[in-house]
Amino acid sequence: MPKKIATENINAKLGIVMRSGKALLGLTQTLKAIRKGMVKMVIVSSNCPNLRKSMLEYYCMLSKTQIYHYTGTNIDLGAACGRYHRVSCVSIIEAGDSDILTAVSS
């Protein structure tokens, strides 16, 4: 039961980020933003391919960026972002009114 509450909490915070902050969707845009040093947090779906997931983890480790492994699939992550397509990873540049950066790290 607490796992579902935590997922709903992350979904709500991610929706606030999409409305009031800045976020990029997709692997290519995320990797470009990590290389530029713009990203504060990366969210990866559970069914993202292992090669892509390890590449994102490596880039995040090099740039000292937070990474969060989302418990839902890429369809769930897309729905949490307010989009009607699949999203394997989301990079948060500015959190806006959301406190997702502090809530996920603790």
Side-chain angles (χ1 to χ4, degrees), residues 44-55:
V44 184
S45 68
S46 65
N47 64 342
C48 183
N50 288 333
L51 184 64
R52 290 182 183 176
K53 195 180 290 188
S54 63
M55 183 170 40

Side-chain angles (χ1 to χ4, degrees), residues 23-32 42-43 52 56 77 85-91:
L24 298 173
L25 305 176
L27 180 74
T28 306
Q29 289 183 345
T30 298
L31 289 177
K32 285 180 184 178
V42 176
I43 301 174
R52 290 182 183 176
L56 280 169
L77 185 58
H85 54 83
R86 295 174 287 212
V87 176
S88 63
C89 60
V90 177
S91 56

Side-chain angles (χ1 to χ4, degrees), residues 12-78:
K13 291 179 187 306
L14 194 54
I16 293 171
V17 168
M18 296 304 288
R19 285 191 298 274
S20 65
K22 288 187 181 178
L24 298 173
L25 305 176
L27 180 74
T28 306
Q29 289 183 345
T30 298
L31 289 177
K32 285 180 184 178
I34 289 173
R35 283 188 212 122
K36 291 179 183 177
M38 299 167 36
V39 178
K40 294 187 174 121
M41 175 184 249
V42 176
I43 301 174
V44 184
S45 68
S46 65
N47 64 342
C48 183
N50 288 333
L51 184 64
R52 290 182 183 176
K53 195 180 290 188
S54 63
M55 183 170 40
L56 280 169
E57 289 171 352
Y58 179 70
Y59 273 95
C60 287
M61 186 241 346
L62 288 178
S63 65
K64 296 179 178 72
T65 304
Q66 290 182 2
I67 188 164
Y68 177 75
H69 296 282
Y70 188 75
T71 56
T73 63
N74 54 4
I75 297 171
D76 299 333
L77 185 58

